[in-house]
């Protein structure tokens, strides 16, 4: 712990520079800069203590969404995030129904300011962020700490001995350590987390399987969706897609919406063959590629796509959440690097509901084969939904552990 406390102070000038850079590059603005250092929080109107749910970024916000919706309106909620994209998504999903803020950096003075402003009763951390000062101060203020959907990266497991010791001491303050599978339970035991806190509950991301069944189609033409794409994936996939001369539209929803201009410049098309949502450009007869550069825009696109190509798996990014398109009953293709979603990928592959391709050429070999094979695509979509059916109890299992005394509205069918 002493090494950690010394390091965060010595690195303060670098941290300041990085936060300023993020505030500018990621369009977080002044509020991002202030709140990351513990300033600029708005005193809530209600005096009751909220449940504080921390979601590092967009992925964690989406994982927490069904949980938050079940808690509202009975519970007061504070949701924090580390990123401008996460902050924007929280506001888009929940409007004025919750308190929303940036989580302060792990400096004691900054954390104390947030705790004084919101006075939370519980802290629920989605997936895993192990911040020694945050956990220590929360515990000191009698705030029950729980990790939800918890998992550990290989980097964390391979940390130096002094850092592992810090993790061990920090995790000893946790009341509930709710992990997604037995493998993750073993990982936490390797860090000597308290055994009595560890429970295998399942993957919280399965809880969102019913939420988009009635979403309206966002475009008026049949389309293939490239979802959550990263740099270079758009250009590589679009080039191969255009060579097929298909009648369907290619819809791109990038992981980082601010990259829209970069994506447009990378595509081998005339500008009038590309339409971009943020520029108010509608889809017309000459449009071959449509870029929807909004936060939280994927839900309706998943529901009506002819098939989905999940990005972040051809670029070395660890992939993205394939459960969301699976919930919509759509055929899914993805790339070789699904390291951040191994369990989800294996579940769908086991049910013949997902095709994992080794490279771009393999992707288009499969895509060319399946795009007109209506029966096979429908079978894949049905299998994806079936793979999730046995997981529908997970949200209630989490709530039974975390908030058994809270009177909640019944889950919507």
């Amino acid at each position: 712990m002493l090494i950690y406390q010394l390091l965060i102070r010595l690195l303060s000038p670098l941290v300041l520079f990085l936060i300023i850079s993020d505030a500018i590059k990621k369009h977080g603005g002044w509020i991002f800069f202030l709140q990351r250092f513990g300033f600029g929080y708005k005193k809530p109107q209600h005096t009751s203590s909220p449940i504080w749910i921390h979601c590092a970024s967009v992925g964690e916000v989406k994982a927490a969404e069904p949980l938050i919706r079940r808690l509202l309106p009975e519970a007061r909620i504070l949701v924090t995030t580390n990123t401008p994209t996460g902050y924007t998504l929280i506001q888009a999903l929940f409007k004025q129904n919750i308190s929303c803020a940036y989580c302060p950096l792990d400096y004691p003075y900054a954390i104390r300011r947030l705790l004084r402003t919101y006075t939370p009763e519980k802290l629920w951390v989605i997936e895993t962020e192990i911040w020694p000062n945050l956990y220590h101060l929360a515990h000191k203020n009698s705030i029950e700490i729980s990790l939800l959907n918890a998992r550990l990266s290989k980097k964390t497991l391979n940390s130096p001995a002094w850092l592992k010791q810090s993790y061990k001491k920090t995790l000893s303050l946790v009341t509930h350590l709710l992990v997604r599978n037995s493998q993750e339970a073993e990982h936490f035991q390797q860090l000597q987390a308290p055994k009595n806190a560890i429970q295998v509950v399942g993957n919280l991301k399965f809880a969102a399987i019913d939420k988009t069944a009635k979403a309206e189609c966002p475009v008026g033409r049949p389309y293939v969706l490239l979802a959550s794409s990263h740099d270079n994936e758009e250009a590589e996939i679009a080039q191969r897609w255009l060579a097929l001369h298909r009648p369907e539209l290619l819809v791109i929803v990038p992981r980082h919406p601010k990259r829209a201009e970069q994506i447009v410049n990378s595509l081998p098309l005339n500008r009038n063959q590309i339409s971009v949502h943020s520029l108010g450009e509608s889809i017309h007869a000459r449009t071959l590629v449509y870029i929807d550069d909004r936060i939280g825009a994927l839900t309706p696109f998943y529901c009506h796509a002819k098939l989905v190509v999940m990005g972040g798996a051809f670029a070395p990014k660890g992939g993205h959440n394939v459960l969301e398109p699976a919930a919509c009953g759509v055929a899914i293709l993805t790339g070789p690097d699904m390291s951040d979603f191994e369990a989800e990928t294996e579940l769908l592959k086991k049910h013949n509901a997902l095709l994992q391709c080794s490279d771009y050429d393999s992707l288009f070999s499969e895509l060319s084969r399946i795009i007109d094979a209506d029966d096979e695509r429908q079978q894949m979509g049905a299998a994806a939904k079936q793979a999730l059916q046995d997981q529908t109890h997970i949200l209630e299992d989490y709530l039974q552990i975390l908030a058994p005394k809270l009177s909640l509205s019944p889950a919507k069918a």
Side-chain angles (χ1 to χ4, degrees), residues 30-159:
W30 191 238
I31 189 173
F32 171 79
F33 176 79
L34 287 176
Q35 292 188 357
R36 291 293 271 159
F37 288 102
F39 298 93
Y41 294 120
K42 295 181 180 179
K43 192 72 176 178
Q45 294 179 349
H46 301 282
T47 57
S48 58
S49 298
I51 298 172
W52 173 13
I53 302 177
H54 176 61
C55 308
S57 191
V58 169
E60 292 78 11
V61 172
K62 290 181 177 179
E65 181 187 355
L67 180 68
I68 295 169
R69 294 198 185 280
R70 282 284 282 116
L71 291 169
L72 294 172
E74 285 82 359
R76 278 196 58 228
I77 308 292
L78 163 67
V79 184
T80 60
T81 185
N82 299 338
T83 66
T85 50
Y87 189 90
T88 301
L89 181 57
I90 293 167
Q91 291 184 313
L93 290 175
F94 303 109
K95 310 300 181 184
Q96 304 299 319
N97 296 325
I98 63 169
S99 298
C100 174
Y102 287 106
C103 188
L105 297 165
D106 203 38
Y107 294 107
Y109 78 89
I111 296 164
R112 290 190 188 102
R113 286 178 178 274
L114 181 139
L115 296 181
R116 283 198 298 266
T117 302
Y118 295 102
T119 62
E121 178 184 9
K122 300 173 183 287
L123 169 59
W124 298 352
V125 179
I126 305 298
E127 299 202 353
T128 307
E129 291 213 320
I130 308 173
W131 296 108
N133 290 327
L134 172 61
Y135 284 40
H136 171 73
L137 288 169
H139 182 75
K140 185 177 179 181
N141 283 270
S142 301
I143 299 169
E144 182 185 270
I145 306 168
S146 302
L147 270 62
L148 286 60
N149 219 41
R151 67 188 182 101
L152 290 171
S153 66
K154 292 179 182 179
K155 183 178 179 181
T156 300
L157 291 171
N158 295 325
S159 299

Side-chain angles (χ1 to χ4, degrees), residues 395-407:
L395 177 59
E396 300 307 320
D397 291 347
Y398 271 94
L399 288 169
Q400 186 60 38
I401 296 168
L402 295 166
K405 298 179 182 179
L406 193 63
S407 175

Side-chain angles (χ1 to χ4, degrees), residues 317-338:
K317 300 294 183 179
H320 289 297
N321 186 8
V322 288
L323 299 182
E324 294 175 355
C328 295
V330 61
I332 307 164
L333 295 86
T334 192
D337 185 9
M338 289 295 290

Side-chain angles (χ1 to χ4, degrees), residues 168-351:
K168 175 186 174 181
K169 187 172 182 179
T170 302
L171 290 172
S172 71
L173 306 175
V174 173
T175 301
H176 299 294
L177 216 169
L178 309 182
V179 301
R180 56 179 69 181
N181 54 49
S182 57
Q183 182 181 31
E184 293 298 343
E186 293 176 4
H187 290 165
F188 277 98
Q189 289 175 18
Q190 289 178 34
L191 286 186
Q192 300 182 55
K195 290 185 179 181
N196 62 339
I198 301 173
Q199 292 179 258
V200 178
V201 186
N203 193 333
L204 187 58
K205 292 179 179 178
F206 287 126
I209 65 170
D210 293 325
K211 69 178 183 178
T212 62
K214 297 181 181 179
E216 294 183 4
C217 185
V219 297
R221 286 167 50 184
Y223 62 91
V224 166
L225 173 64
L226 171 56
S228 296
S229 57
H230 289 260
D231 187 18
N232 202 45
E233 288 183 322
E234 299 93 359
E236 292 283 354
I237 289 173
Q239 182 178 7
R240 289 167 172 81
W241 169 256
L242 295 169
L244 297 179
H245 301 289
R246 294 290 309 183
E248 297 88 357
L249 185 69
L250 176 63
V251 174
I252 299 174
V253 182
R255 178 65 170 177
H256 302 292
K258 300 298 181 182
R259 293 184 51 247
E261 183 178 355
Q262 175 193 345
I263 295 169
V264 169
N265 293 334
S266 73
L267 299 180
L269 289 169
N270 296 325
R271 183 62 183 85
N272 63 3
Q273 295 174 303
I274 307 168
S275 297
V276 181
H277 181 275
S278 63
L279 300 179
E281 297 172 353
S282 60
I283 297 171
H284 50 79
R286 299 189 65 183
T287 303
L288 299 180
V289 175
Y290 177 62
I291 301 172
D292 196 310
D293 50 345
R294 291 177 290 173
I295 294 289
L298 273 171
T299 291
F301 280 111
Y302 283 141
C303 290
H304 300 279
K306 196 165 185 179
L307 57 83
V308 170
V309 178
M310 182 57 68
F314 296 94
K317 300 294 183 179
H320 289 297
N321 186 8
V322 288
L323 299 182
E324 294 175 355
C328 295
V330 61
I332 307 164
L333 295 86
T334 192
D337 185 9
M338 289 295 290
S339 55
D340 288 345
F341 297 87
E342 288 181 357
E344 296 91 328
T345 302
E346 290 305 314
L347 174 70
L348 294 179
K349 286 171 65 177
K350 181 180 177 181
H351 285 76

